Amino acid sequence: MDVNFCVHYEGDGYPPTNRFCRNCPHSHIACDALWQLVIDLSRSKGGDAVPLPGTRAVMFPNSQTKNSVRLEINCRWYVNREDFLYCIATGHASMGRRGDRQERTVSPSLTRQEPYVQSILSALGGDGREEVRAVCQVQAGSQQ
């Protein structure tokens, strides 16, 4: 995880700071709106599976928390808010081991979220969408 992925990130990439996006005091500027689109997409079929383009995965809402959405192929796993936002900033969300935590390509949760984050982004309309551009600007510090 590149700890410089967002100018507002505070931490070293290790738990619990790898989950900083959930409580970021600046998230209301842009990140909340984009993440709400992800939540809304997961609920768009009324609880039924939402197919993710270009993958075999399907998405469901997480009934326990708004900090992640559930994905399934042969098993269930979750894409959490920080992995999604990290991938928006870096283009990466790969699996890693404890010793890989400082690698730029590794997701904050150390779980493999590629190509699923990209597929969610595609289902939302792609990286040209206004909400995505706003998040990128906030992460870069050009919109405060």
Side-chain angles (χ1 to χ4, degrees):
M1 172 181 180
D2 178 359
V3 296
N4 298 311
F5 79 98
C6 178
V7 297
H8 300 294
Y9 175 76
E10 297 174 10
D12 58 6
Y14 291 88
T17 65
N18 65 327
R19 296 180 295 276
F20 177 80
C21 294
R22 298 179 189 194
N23 303 310
C24 176
H26 306 281
S27 67
H28 67 280
I29 300 169
C31 298
D32 289 349
L34 179 57
W35 183 247
Q36 188 60 52
L37 290 174
V38 175
I39 297 294
D40 292 347
L41 177 63
S42 75
R43 294 178 176 162
S44 66
K45 300 270 185 177
D48 289 339
V50 176
L52 294 179
T55 73
R56 295 183 310 124
V58 293
M59 181 170 61
F60 298 90
N62 182 345
S63 61
Q64 305 296 315
T65 179
K66 286 188 171 186
N67 288 320
S68 65
V69 293
R70 188 181 75 178
L71 272 56
E72 285 185 24
I73 296 179
N74 296 330
C75 63
R76 291 182 185 169
W77 76 97
Y78 296 89
V79 172
N80 58 50
R81 178 183 177 110
E82 52 275 3
D83 286 353
F84 184 82
L85 295 171
Y86 182 80
C87 192
I88 295 297
T90 66
H92 300 287
S94 297
M95 184 169 67
R97 305 230 187 271
R98 187 174 34 203
D100 300 330
R101 201 167 277 284
Q102 300 299 317
E103 295 293 322
R104 178 176 171 79
T105 60
V106 173
S107 73
S109 68
L110 302 178
T111 58
R112 179 178 170 255
Q113 303 295 2
E114 293 180 57
Y116 310 106
V117 169
Q118 292 89 341
S119 183
I120 293 168
L121 186 59
S122 176
L124 291 173
D127 57 7
R129 189 171 177 132
E130 179 182 333
E131 293 87 350
V132 177
R133 289 193 321 264
V135 165
C136 292
Q137 289 175 341
V138 167
Q139 290 172 331
S142 57
Q143 180 184 22
Q144 313 256 344

